[in-house]
Amino acid sequence: MTRSRRRRGRTAALTATLTAVPALWLAAPAAQADPAPHPAAAQHSVSLSASGLPSGATASFNPSSVTAGGSSTLTVATASSTPAGTYNITVIGTGASAPHTATYTLTVTSGSGGAGISTSPTNGNSSLAQTFTAPPGTSTLGFYYDVTCPDTVTYDWATATLKDNTTGTTTTVLAKTCVSSSGWIQKTASVTAGHSYTLTLVSHDDNCTGDATYTRYDDVTPS
């Protein structure tokens, strides 16, 4: 079992075999309801629930019930009011036989929300990059950005690219953007399950005094 770290207000995907992708998001294969179901129980439905959630956190399953041997993904979403700390989340599968349980660790860390890039003038690019493998069943990668750019797109901008390392192709998810205050805006891109990707988030500033450009990124999530 792997401990996951999440900032407040982000969403963590927790499954039976949990893999924490550093810093930005979690990716994991689906939870196995029963690794070796008895043939006679193959059609029994198993209802899934979770306990031990901290204040402000919610849990959802997709799907909410499975037949023996099936799979489901648990998503735990935290709120800004969720206290920082480490919590044991118990997943309960209830069917015709006695309930089965599995326990995962959720760590909530304090934070203002978002990975900030370049809050003071820089000479060129300030960037973050993350390489990951798209989990089974996913087809989209999404994230939010919030750019503050008092200059023009000729000199300052926010941009983001997604490289498919498996095929060698690169997609511009966020074209060069410069607005005085964008607010949080979501961008999405298509992904192929099992492919390796590198997401690069950039904030560019020309180092001119008085019009510093900076960008925040948050909620980078495969779905």
Side-chain angles (χ1 to χ4, degrees), residues 7-221:
R7 288 180 180 270
R8 294 185 186 178
R10 297 202 182 174
T11 300
L14 304 181
T15 57
T17 303
L18 178 62
T19 301
V21 179
L24 292 180
W25 58 84
L26 298 178
Q32 293 301 313
D34 188 337
H38 190 280
Q43 300 304 314
H44 289 173
S45 179
V46 177
S47 297
L48 301 171
S49 60
S51 64
L53 295 166
S55 174
T58 59
S60 61
F61 292 87
N62 184 24
S64 60
S65 63
V66 294
T67 55
S71 63
S72 178
T73 298
L74 163 65
T75 300
V76 176
T78 59
S80 60
S81 60
T82 301
T86 299
Y87 305 91
N88 290 324
I89 308 300
T90 300
V91 177
I92 306 166
T94 305
S97 61
H100 293 270
T101 63
T103 301
Y104 301 98
T105 301
L106 173 70
T107 299
V108 180
T109 60
S110 61
S112 59
I117 301 179
S118 179
T119 56
S120 58
T122 59
N123 189 8
N125 289 341
S126 180
S127 65
L128 294 170
Q130 175 71 54
T131 297
F132 67 100
T133 299
T138 59
S139 60
T140 303
L141 179 74
F143 64 86
Y144 286 81
Y145 76 94
D146 180 7
V147 60
T148 298
C149 182
D151 208 331
T152 69
V153 74
T154 302
Y155 304 104
D156 295 349
W157 59 78
T159 188
T161 59
L162 181 67
K163 180 180 179 180
D164 186 332
N165 300 313
T166 304
T167 63
T169 58
T170 299
T171 300
T172 299
V173 187
L174 172 62
K176 291 181 179 179
T177 299
C178 177
V179 293
S180 59
S181 180
S182 69
W184 288 106
I185 298 175
Q186 186 182 35
K187 301 295 290 185
T188 60
S190 297
V191 296
T192 301
H195 283 206
S196 169
Y197 292 89
T198 298
L199 176 67
T200 303
L201 309 172
V202 176
S203 183
H204 180 90
D205 188 272
D206 64 355
N207 200 31
C208 182
T209 302
D211 60 3
T213 290
Y214 60 92
T215 310
R216 292 187 294 167
Y217 295 92
D218 202 0
D219 288 335
V220 183
T221 308

